[in-house]
Amino acid sequence: MVPGGRRRGPAALAAAAIALMQISFLVFPISAQESNSSRVVPAEGYCSMYGICGQRSDGKVLNCANATKAVKPDTLFSSRVQSLCPTITGNVCCTVDQFDTLHQQVQQAVPFLVGCPACLRNFLNLFCEMSCSPNQSLFINVTSVKQINSTATVDGIDYYVTTNYGEDLYNSCKDVKFGTLNTRAMDFLGGGAKTYKEWLAFLGRQAKPNEPGSPYLITYRSDSSDSSGVKPLNSTIYSCGDPSLGCSCGDCPSSSVCTGSLLPQLNTETSCSVKMGSLKAKCLDFSLVVVYLALLCAVLLWGLLYRTRGRTAFPLKTKPLRNSDDKSDSNKNGKSPHNSVQVPLQFLLVPKFMVIFLVDLSWYQVSEAASSTVKPSHPSIVQTYMSIFFRKHGIFVARHPLLVLCVSLLIPVLLCIGLLRFKVETRPEKLWVSPGSRTAGEKNYFDSHLTPFYRIEQLVLATSASGGSAAPSIVNDNNMKLLFQIQKKVDDLRANYSGSTVALADICLKPLSTDCATQSVLQYFQLDPKKYDDSGIDHAKFCFQHYTSEETCLSTFQSPIDPSTILGGFPGNNFTEASAFVITYPVNNKVETTGQENGKAVAWERAFISLVKEEILPMVLAQNLTLSFSSESSIQDELNRESTADAITIVISYIVMFAYISFTLGDRPSRWLSLFVSSKVLLGLSGVVLVMLSVLGSMGFFSAIGMKSTLIIMEVIPFLVLAVGVDNMCILVHAVKRQPDQSNLEERISDALVEVGPSITLASFAEVLAFAVSAINPMPATRVFSMFAALAVFMDFILQVTAFVALIVFDFRRAQDGRIDCVPCARILSSPTTGDGGDGQKLHLLARYMRDIHGPILSYRAVKFVVIAVFVGLAFASIALSTRLQPGLEQKIVLPRNSYLQGYFDDLAKYMKVGPPLYFVVKNFNYSSASVHTNQICSINQCNSNSLLNEIARQSLSPETSYIAKPAASWLDDFLIWMSPEAFGCCRKFVNGSYCPPDDQPPCCQLDQDSGTCSASATCNNCTTCFLHSELDNGRPSTTQFKDKLPWFLDALPSSDCSKGGKGAYSTSLDLSGYESGIIQASAFRTYHTPLNKQTDYVNSMRAARDFSSKMSEDLQMEIFPYSVFYIFFEQYLGVWKTAIMNICVCLGTVFVVCFIVTSSLWASAIILIVLAMIVLDLMGVMAMLGIQLNAISVVNLVMSIGIAVEFCVHITHAFMIGNGDRETRARQALSTMGASVFSGITLTKLVGVIVLRFAKSEVFVVYYFQMYLALVLIGFLHGLIFLPVVLSLCGPPPKSAKPIEQSQPASASTEQT
């Protein structure tokens, strides 16, 4: 090779980028020394090529086709040959010039292979034998010559090697890593060859003029049958597992010393399963089925035995049971129930065969009625005092409603002043990550000691499939020209930030401080349209296959561009069939402290999105292509837009609920004119205002003390408090209406509060304490929600029993005076006196349904058995389904449906072939000679077999479980190789001891700015390697040597002569602050995750990396942690199950304790607890069936579901406990009194409000609010009004006196409803 033809190879972005140049240069100069003369008879001691006879037009030297006898070298030359080619002794077939060229060029391969001495030795021997072997003619045959200046020069040769030699050579080198680019050295030295034939074919290809490669064709052959006398080369090949030339386990996984050191495979646990023929079921599912069937059989057996005893004891008692409701209705008709045959209405609603069965079971009710004379027990002390309090409180409110209203509104109104400091937290890391979490600490450590991960701006252009056929290739001339137009617009884009303009060049990532690290197919032309015009699309296709080895394919920032990162939609490695271009603009990121550090970047990103929407998108669509795009700030901006996108939907939902509340609170007058008086629109509106005031007061209080609100609080808490508040409003209003009309208003109010006040208090305090205790959750979003919800529910309860009761007093006074609702100053004089309830008023349709149909149907044993069997079966099924819940939150769901990011995430999953970068960070790396840390981390020869980097390389061999795609880029490996005397072109020093760069870098060569070539200079002739072998300790530097040369390495540019320079590749991989003490505080080793397309992939990859790091930390006794940019957002999912179970258990436990304290009934509290648990389980089962993932939003909804489910259970249970009669009678009474209020107050109210959310623009509302809320309302209704009454009628607690101070109201009054 002519010295003047050498190029300067600048540094790479994230790797020793010029490594590709080295390969190409490595190939042709060596080949150039393989010439000899024309056809020669093979014989020992003879050459086929000897000497250098000329050069090509591009300066590449050519060997002489000279069949001559091998020459005996002088002593000095012989020792030089022996130092590089120890297998060649005696005569040689190369001149001093040929050997110097060989020596000069193989130094480019040394940095790639020196970590594995066996491979390096075998590789050098291949070219030593070809260039200098004294028996060259036996395996080298010149097949083509070219006359240059009347001299025959080599233009093509056959190189014979045995098959075993080729395979062993390839096997010794195939796994050697090139850590700088997270890949294998074979990708550079062999073009990614998969077999020895592919590798040798790559090495032997003839380069075109001005392209790297061999100046003549080298054809490697193993068949010598047609060549008499040829003896294929079959010299000794050293195995990479040879202890004398030991390679590391990362470079030679097949070595015997490595096979036993593998860590246990990650994520390989298999779940327990049971096989029954062709059916296969999980052990949990099978166990649940067995237990359920056993319980079902036990209940059936008990029922049959009980039925037999019942028939024996009461063979003639078949009259239907009469309760107080039946007696009341019979007396109204003037007929005695004893003198007529009653046909229950519920018989008309069931099939005839069921009627026969039900009539046959009527003995059950008679026997129960005859044997269930239960005396009411005394109420608890708490209930006694609560009844006394509510009696006095009701009288006081009825006498002073205005005073109570004003005083009760004062505190929440004052708290609303705190809304002046109201702020919303939208930063994901502040919402979903605890400040003390492991990931938050690791991210802060990474950002402060190394550097924050860069920001990403991205475009994805793709072709579209049509007619069911595959999408056509996007790699064509028109699309490439379109990319240049887009690139120009992006380069010319200017954004305004605080009065200054910001361009991409101002903020982009510049590894070498010169050019942006733009990732694009245009980098194969260095972003220059003129170069594209000169070489065309074929050059891009050429670079797809040779991007690692061709100098002309290097990017503007001198790094090879992997086509898998800039193309998408290609099968296998057929890059030319790609259907998508992926353009990425990395932008510098800064640690956020004030929120303005990345202001310039954010301003440019928003201008970039506007440019894409307004100008680039029409250009792309005009080419019949699709375009998706994103910036680093896009998700944040779209989430902020999403928070207002459904404001109208939420308002409409509230309006619908308010309209229904006003309708259900009002009366149903017999004359339409009375509707203006009996309606309670103003009361309903006032109640809704109180609910909103409690929410605002809660938000105001926490805003005043400096706590930020969240979108979840604004979206969920109003629904929660409205659900609880509306239920209480209905219960209070209906309780007042149930009181006799003959009583004055004070008595009606006080009696109503005594009747329902304890249950309202019990439900509210259970909810408040459940939410309050849930605030111990470390997840900020859930903790803040629980705190806001607890205060809001508490304030709503206070306002309900004070302000709303006062409003009821005003409303009833208005109705009694015949004043018009909403216009109380107007009065209908002709209106008759309007009753508001009492004995004489006809029952509401819903109340009559509960009393006459719903309750009686549930009283039959067959129905009870079916109800118990179905609901318990659903609970067991939900347990099995809940185990299938997947953690995560799909990004597409949280965005508006019309967001431009929807298509971007689709394209990302469809086209991206690489995963996110993954860093393994080592804390406090001790590089001193006395420490073993160096060998515990590195992965070159003499490193521990179970070192960190060796184990990472092993894990990359099983990416399906480890989620690690490649070996790690190791600054430590490259530094040790760079310092090694074998890498004689790397670590060098001048005579004065200062750093001497490689010969192809200034000042060792003179750079021609116009041509880009670097001409040889004598400046560095006296440079020597930094160290001799004798100066190193077993190949390792001393503490002082390590400390002195590390800054040299990090400032060294990679180039053709030394690819291991650390500048650009490792500039941010370690923290040098205080390293002089022998400790490097932070050291990062970069690899990549496999492509992650689903939320479960992200979660599992993070879990696998953490498990691996924990095992390595324990094994090596070092502090190691993994870091990837997405970890901080996904850490919540690693513990989301623990968080959910903890919150649910705490809430359930709190409800149980409160119920027990208030009711003094362990029996009743246990029933409430069981029903609440079943509701939550069923809701989780529905989530699994609908594919709803487990995340912070769903955890909040599960916590909230307990609060709402309490309303379904507590009121029914309390009404049951204060009722009179046996269990059956009290269950029906509870349904008659509270069932209608619960159904109308919470079920229907929430139902009409939730249905509106179905039309929300954001998918998150549809999935997590519409679907989950709808499921919650239906499940709560079914359990509260069907399952709970059945359970109470079978095994409910004994009754307690409802009114310990006064006599209880007649039973008939308790059954009346508006």
Side-chain angles (χ1 to χ4, degrees):
M1 175 179 176
V2 177
R6 303 175 69 171
R7 273 185 191 264
R8 174 178 179 256
L13 159 66
I18 301 305
L20 13 118
M21 267 170 43
Q22 304 158 359
I23 301 20
S24 15
F25 281 137
L26 170 66
V27 174
F28 72 76
I30 296 174
S31 306
Q33 303 165 31
E34 301 156 4
S35 297
N36 242 316
S37 67
S38 56
R39 186 73 172 90
V40 60
V41 177
E44 290 186 4
Y46 280 85
C47 308
S48 295
M49 306 177 293
Y50 187 81
I52 297 175
C53 294
Q55 62 183 38
R56 298 198 319 180
S57 59
D58 57 1
K60 294 177 182 179
V61 295
L62 296 172
N63 291 341
C64 302
N66 187 6
T68 185
K69 192 172 183 179
V71 178
K72 181 177 179 62
D74 58 37
T75 304
L76 177 60
F77 184 32
S78 177
S79 62
R80 291 184 61 199
V81 171
Q82 285 284 305
S83 66
L84 183 66
C85 308
T87 59
I88 297 178
T89 58
N91 296 344
V92 295
C93 283
C94 59
T95 64
V96 173
D97 289 340
Q98 283 182 292
F99 180 80
D100 287 343
T101 303
L102 171 66
H103 189 276
Q104 184 182 61
Q105 298 305 323
V106 295
Q107 74 178 18
Q108 300 172 11
V110 170
F112 289 94
L113 305 177
V114 71
C116 182
C119 169
L120 178 62
R121 174 49 50 205
N122 295 332
F123 187 83
L124 293 178
N125 286 347
L126 175 69
F127 293 100
C128 284
E129 295 288 346
M130 182 175 68
S131 299
C132 297
S133 172
N135 300 316
Q136 191 184 72
S137 64
L138 291 177
F139 49 84
I140 296 291
N141 180 30
V142 177
T143 58
S144 176
V145 296
K146 179 184 294 185
Q147 294 293 326
I148 296 180
N149 296 328
S150 302
T151 303
T153 61
V154 175
D155 192 50
I157 65 171
D158 285 345
Y159 189 169
Y160 292 89
V161 297
T162 64
T163 300
N164 289 338
Y165 178 90
E167 289 179 346
D168 292 344
L169 171 66
Y170 175 78
N171 289 335
S172 69
C173 294
K174 66 178 181 180
D175 292 316
V176 176
K177 304 185 307 299
F178 182 60
T180 312
L181 286 180
N182 300 96
T183 186
R184 306 285 178 182
M186 190 59 65
D187 292 339
F188 289 83
L189 298 179
K194 303 299 182 184
T195 64
Y196 86 91
K197 291 183 178 180
E198 293 180 5
W199 187 20
L200 295 179
F202 175 84
L203 294 177
R205 61 195 176 90
Q206 184 176 20
K208 297 178 181 178
N210 298 312
E211 285 188 3
S214 171
Y216 51 83
L217 177 65
I218 305 174
T219 303
Y220 289 88
R221 298 184 181 277
S222 57
D223 182 10
S224 60
S225 59
D226 59 343
S227 304
S228 176
V230 170
K231 294 182 179 180
L233 181 66
N234 193 25
S235 60
T236 301
I237 291 290
Y238 298 95
S239 169
C240 64
D242 189 334
S244 63
L245 293 171
C247 300
S248 70
C249 291
D251 293 331
C252 186
S254 60
S255 174
S256 58
V257 299
C258 303
T259 54
S261 63
L262 283 171
L263 286 173
Q265 287 294 320
L266 304 172
N267 300 326
T268 56
E269 309 93 6
T270 56
S271 58
C272 174
S273 60
V274 177
K275 275 191 174 183
M276 295 174 291
S278 60
L279 297 178
K280 183 178 180 181
K282 292 184 178 180
C283 291
L284 176 62
D285 299 348
F286 180 77
S287 301
L288 290 171
V289 171
V290 171
V291 173
Y292 175 68
L293 292 176
L295 289 175
L296 205 60
C297 292
V299 172
L300 277 172
L301 181 61
W302 173 83
L304 291 174
L305 293 175
Y306 194 87
R307 177 180 181 184
T308 303
R309 292 201 304 269
R311 283 183 169 174
T312 304
F314 304 99
L316 301 176
K317 296 183 179 181
T318 58
K319 293 182 180 180
L321 176 68
R322 298 182 301 277
N323 58 24
S324 57
D325 297 332
D326 300 327
K327 181 177 180 180
S328 175
D329 290 345
S330 300
N331 292 336
K332 289 179 183 179
N333 295 330
K335 297 180 181 180
S336 171
H338 297 282
N339 300 327
S340 62
V341 179
Q342 301 285 333
V343 180
L345 177 60
Q346 62 269 21
F347 283 177
L348 303 177
L349 304 179
V350 296
K352 291 183 179 181
F353 72 91
M354 282 297 291
V355 172
I356 299 173
F357 183 68
L358 295 175
V359 171
D360 185 56
L361 295 177
S362 60
W363 63 269
Y364 173 72
Q365 299 189 39
V366 178
S367 62
E368 184 182 10
S371 60
S372 301
T373 305
V374 182
K375 293 183 179 181
S377 62
H378 293 292
S380 67
I381 296 177
V382 176
Q383 283 185 305
T384 300
Y385 282 105
M386 287 174 63
S387 298
I388 295 173
F389 168 78
F390 279 115
R391 169 72 63 188
K392 295 179 179 180
H393 175 68
I395 294 174
F396 182 81
V397 175
R399 292 176 180 175
H400 311 285
L402 184 59
L403 175 63
V404 172
L405 181 63
C406 294
V407 173
S408 61
L409 292 178
L410 180 62
I411 294 179
V413 169
L414 290 176
L415 290 178
C416 288
I417 299 176
L419 291 174
L420 296 175
R421 299 185 59 187
F422 177 77
K423 293 181 180 179
V424 178
E425 183 62 80
T426 57
R427 290 176 295 177
E429 64 272 17
K430 297 296 183 181
L431 291 175
W432 315 124
V433 183
S434 171
S437 75
R438 172 179 168 181
T439 300
E442 292 170 350
K443 181 180 185 300
N444 292 336
Y445 190 91
F446 186 93
D447 290 349
S448 58
H449 286 82
L450 301 173
T451 186
F453 192 76
Y454 53 82
R455 305 170 70 89
I456 295 176
E457 335 297 341
Q458 206 162 51
L459 299 172
V460 181
L461 288 78
T463 57
S464 300
S466 59
S469 59
S473 172
I474 198 172
V475 185
N476 59 49
D477 184 66
N478 290 335
N479 293 336
M480 293 293 290
K481 292 179 178 178
L482 174 64
L483 285 186
F484 277 110
Q485 297 176 28
I486 294 174
Q487 184 62 43
K488 186 176 187 308
K489 286 186 175 293
V490 173
D491 289 337
D492 294 342
L493 177 64
R494 298 294 183 270
N496 189 313
Y497 177 73
S498 299
S500 61
T501 58
V502 181
L504 177 61
D506 300 325
I507 59 174
C508 69
L509 180 67
K510 298 176 181 178
L512 303 179
S513 305
T514 53
D515 297 289
C516 294
T518 301
Q519 303 287 311
S520 170
V521 69
L522 301 183
Q523 287 286 11
Y524 293 139
F525 308 95
Q526 292 74 52
L527 302 180
D528 188 350
K530 293 183 179 179
K531 291 186 177 180
Y532 175 75
D533 293 338
D534 293 339
S535 55
I537 193 70
D538 289 338
H539 178 68
K541 295 179 179 179
F542 174 79
C543 290
F544 292 162
Q545 304 300 325
H546 306 99
Y547 70 96
T548 58
S549 57
E550 297 298 335
E551 178 187 2
T552 56
C553 298
L554 290 180
S555 64
T556 55
F557 53 98
Q558 297 302 306
S559 174
I561 301 295
D562 187 342
S564 64
T565 64
I566 57 175
L567 300 173
F570 50 86
N573 290 324
N574 297 326
F575 300 116
T576 56
E577 298 180 22
S579 58
F581 287 140
V582 181
I583 303 99
T584 306
Y585 302 99
V587 170
N588 287 317
N589 202 358
K590 298 180 181 179
V591 179
E592 292 276 1
T593 54
T594 64
Q596 300 299 319
E597 287 77 7
N598 291 304
K600 288 185 177 181
V602 172
W604 188 88
E605 287 165 356
R606 290 172 178 166
F608 169 72
I609 295 299
S610 298
L611 172 71
V612 174
K613 289 180 178 179
E614 297 170 5
E615 299 184 33
I616 297 179
L617 182 59
M619 294 168 51
V620 173
L621 295 178
Q623 293 277 55
N624 294 322
L625 301 176
T626 62
L627 174 66
S628 60
F629 49 95
S630 171
S631 70
E632 187 73 18
S633 57
S634 288
I635 294 181
Q636 183 86 30
D637 292 341
E638 288 297 281
L639 286 177
N640 293 338
R641 184 170 74 88
E642 184 268 343
S643 64
T644 59
D646 288 305
I648 296 178
T649 305
I650 296 174
V651 170
I652 292 175
S653 178
Y654 289 153
I655 292 175
V656 171
M657 285 190 287
F658 157 69
Y660 176 76
I661 293 167
S662 302
F663 171 78
T664 192
L665 290 181
D667 299 321
R668 309 297 177 268
S670 56
R671 297 193 306 167
W672 69 270
L673 192 60
S674 301
L675 178 63
F676 295 102
V677 177
S678 63
S679 67
K680 300 193 180 300
V681 174
L682 188 59
L683 181 62
L685 176 61
S686 302
V688 173
V689 171
L690 293 179
V691 170
M692 293 297 106
L693 193 60
S694 65
V695 174
L696 294 176
S698 175
M699 296 171 68
F701 172 78
F702 287 106
S703 297
I705 63 175
M707 291 188 65
K708 292 184 179 181
S709 182
T710 66
L711 296 178
I712 290 182
I713 288 175
M714 295 187 291
E715 294 162 352
V716 177
I717 289 184
F719 273 86
L720 168 66
V721 182
L722 194 60
V724 175
V726 170
D727 192 26
N728 291 340
M729 285 190 287
C730 289
I731 290 172
L732 285 169
V733 172
H734 291 164
V736 174
K737 289 181 180 181
R738 282 196 297 270
Q739 308 310 313
D741 285 340
Q742 295 80 9
S743 303
N744 59 40
L745 189 55
E746 288 184 11
E747 294 177 347
R748 297 177 70 180
I749 294 295
S750 60
D751 288 346
L753 284 177
V754 170
E755 179 184 343
V756 301
S759 67
I760 291 177
T761 304
L762 172 59
S764 298
F765 271 84
E767 293 159 2
V768 170
L769 290 178
F771 287 128
V773 175
S774 295
I776 64 174
N777 192 325
M779 187 183 296
T782 309
R783 183 180 68 251
V784 172
F785 166 81
S786 299
M787 296 170 64
F788 275 70
L791 183 57
V793 173
F794 177 74
M795 293 181 63
D796 180 61
F797 164 72
I798 298 298
L799 291 176
Q800 292 291 331
V801 298
T802 55
F804 189 72
V805 174
L807 291 171
I808 291 177
V809 173
F810 284 126
D811 188 75
F812 271 68
R813 287 179 180 177
R814 173 197 61 78
Q816 289 174 353
D817 292 341
R819 298 184 182 276
I820 299 176
D821 190 22
C822 297
V823 191
C825 57
R827 183 175 182 178
I828 300 179
L829 299 177
S830 60
S831 174
T833 302
T834 307
D836 286 296
D839 301 40
Q841 185 175 358
K842 185 178 180 181
L843 290 179
H844 187 275
L845 176 63
L846 185 58
R848 294 200 306 274
Y849 164 78
M850 288 292 177
R851 186 194 66 181
D852 298 334
I853 301 178
H854 190 81
I857 287 180
L858 294 180
S859 66
Y860 291 101
R861 190 178 65 168
V863 175
K864 291 178 181 180
F865 174 78
V866 172
V867 169
I868 296 295
V870 170
F871 279 80
V872 173
L874 289 176
F876 275 70
S878 296
I879 293 175
L881 287 171
S882 62
T883 61
R884 292 163 171 80
L885 277 175
Q886 295 294 330
L889 176 61
E890 294 294 342
Q891 292 173 309
K892 293 179 60 179
I893 289 180
V894 301
L895 298 169
R897 292 177 178 174
N898 60 351
S899 171
Y900 62 86
L901 291 177
Q902 297 284 359
Y904 171 74
F905 288 127
D906 286 337
D907 287 350
L908 221 60
K910 183 177 181 181
Y911 297 119
M912 290 301 288
K913 300 294 185 179
V914 293
L918 167 62
Y919 299 87
F920 287 97
V921 182
V922 178
K923 288 185 176 181
N924 301 321
F925 163 41
N926 187 343
Y927 63 79
S928 65
S929 302
S931 173
V932 296
H933 281 187
T934 298
N935 286 339
Q936 286 183 327
I937 296 175
C938 67
S939 61
I940 59 175
N941 61 309
Q942 299 182 13
C943 297
N944 294 357
S945 62
N946 65 335
S947 69
L948 172 63
L949 295 170
N950 278 335
E951 292 296 344
I952 293 174
R954 289 194 187 95
Q955 292 299 321
S956 69
L957 300 177
S958 55
E960 64 283 348
T961 56
S962 68
Y963 294 90
I964 297 176
K966 301 179 178 182
S970 169
W971 68 265
L972 181 59
D973 283 357
D974 285 356
F975 174 55
L976 295 176
I977 292 172
W978 181 84
M979 290 183 64
S980 172
E982 283 87 356
F984 42 81
C986 292
C987 185
R988 307 196 305 170
K989 60 185 178 181
F990 287 109
V991 176
N992 62 7
S994 60
Y995 174 64
C996 175
D999 285 335
D1000 58 350
Q1001 296 181 25
C1004 297
C1005 65
Q1006 297 178 353
L1007 180 64
D1008 187 335
Q1009 298 292 344
D1010 295 331
S1011 64
T1013 59
C1014 201
S1015 302
S1017 170
T1019 306
C1020 301
N1021 286 349
N1022 295 326
C1023 288
T1024 59
T1025 58
C1026 293
F1027 306 106
L1028 301 176
H1029 281 287
S1030 59
E1031 296 175 321
L1032 300 177
D1033 181 11
N1034 198 23
R1036 296 289 183 261
S1038 66
T1039 305
T1040 302
Q1041 292 168 339
F1042 198 110
K1043 178 179 62 178
D1044 292 343
K1045 297 303 180 285
L1046 183 58
W1048 286 17
F1049 166 72
L1050 294 176
D1051 199 46
L1053 290 169
S1055 64
S1056 299
D1057 284 355
C1058 179
S1059 64
K1060 294 297 183 178
K1063 187 170 184 178
Y1066 300 119
S1067 299
T1068 60
S1069 292
L1070 62 164
D1071 181 8
L1072 289 183
S1073 57
Y1075 89 104
E1076 296 87 354
S1077 64
I1079 301 294
I1080 297 177
Q1081 296 183 39
S1083 178
F1085 301 93
R1086 184 193 67 249
T1087 180
Y1088 291 88
H1089 278 301
T1090 54
L1092 309 175
N1093 298 323
K1094 300 180 296 183
Q1095 295 285 292
T1096 51
D1097 292 339
Y1098 285 95
V1099 177
N1100 291 335
S1101 66
M1102 182 179 180
R1103 180 180 291 109
R1106 279 194 168 183
D1107 290 345
F1108 172 75
S1109 296
S1110 298
K1111 292 174 182 176
M1112 291 305 304
S1113 297
E1114 181 180 356
D1115 186 37
L1116 303 180
Q1117 295 299 301
M1118 301 174 67
E1119 194 171 355
I1120 305 168
F1121 69 86
Y1123 174 77
S1124 190
V1125 67
F1126 69 87
Y1127 281 3
I1128 194 167
F1129 305 115
F1130 284 83
E1131 184 189 35
Q1132 56 174 309
Y1133 305 126
L1134 296 180
V1136 70
W1137 266 110
K1138 179 181 178 181
T1139 299
I1141 293 174
M1142 181 184 73
N1143 276 272
I1144 291 171
C1145 291
V1146 166
C1147 288
L1148 292 176
T1150 305
V1151 171
F1152 174 79
V1153 171
V1154 173
C1155 290
F1156 178 69
I1157 291 174
V1158 174
T1159 64
S1160 295
S1161 173
L1162 188 62
W1163 199 337
S1165 302
I1167 290 177
I1168 292 174
L1169 177 67
I1170 292 172
V1171 176
L1172 291 178
M1174 292 177 66
I1175 291 175
V1176 175
L1177 280 174
D1178 286 357
L1179 183 58
M1180 294 175 70
V1182 171
M1183 288 173 58
M1185 292 175 63
L1186 297 177
I1188 299 176
Q1189 294 172 306
L1190 194 63
N1191 49 57
I1193 299 178
S1194 52
V1195 170
V1196 168
N1197 285 344
L1198 290 172
V1199 172
M1200 184 195 69
S1201 69
I1202 298 176
I1204 294 180
V1206 166
E1207 298 289 329
F1208 284 107
C1209 301
V1210 168
H1211 299 302
I1212 298 292
T1213 305
H1214 182 264
F1216 175 85
M1217 293 180 65
I1218 65 175
N1220 298 317
D1222 59 16
R1223 292 190 181 101
E1224 191 67 51
T1225 302
R1226 288 185 289 130
R1228 294 177 62 179
Q1229 289 176 356
L1231 281 173
S1232 298
T1233 55
M1234 285 296 175
S1237 298
V1238 171
F1239 182 75
S1240 60
I1242 185 170
T1243 305
L1244 295 181
T1245 304
K1246 287 294 294 178
L1247 198 60
V1248 296
V1250 166
I1251 289 175
V1252 177
L1253 296 180
R1254 175 62 183 84
F1255 305 99
K1257 296 180 181 178
S1258 301
E1259 192 70 18
V1260 68
F1261 273 89
V1262 176
V1263 174
Y1264 288 95
Y1265 297 139
F1266 168 71
Q1267 292 183 1
M1268 285 196 70
Y1269 284 10
L1270 182 62
L1272 169 60
V1273 171
L1274 295 178
I1275 293 171
F1277 157 72
L1278 293 173
H1279 282 78
L1281 297 182
I1282 296 179
F1283 179 72
L1284 179 60
V1286 169
V1287 172
L1288 292 174
S1289 68
L1290 290 175
C1291 55
K1296 293 182 180 291
S1297 176
K1299 298 180 181 179
I1301 309 302
E1302 298 83 17
Q1303 292 294 327
S1304 299
Q1305 296 293 332
S1308 60
S1310 68
T1311 63
E1312 294 172 354
Q1313 178 86 344
T1314 306

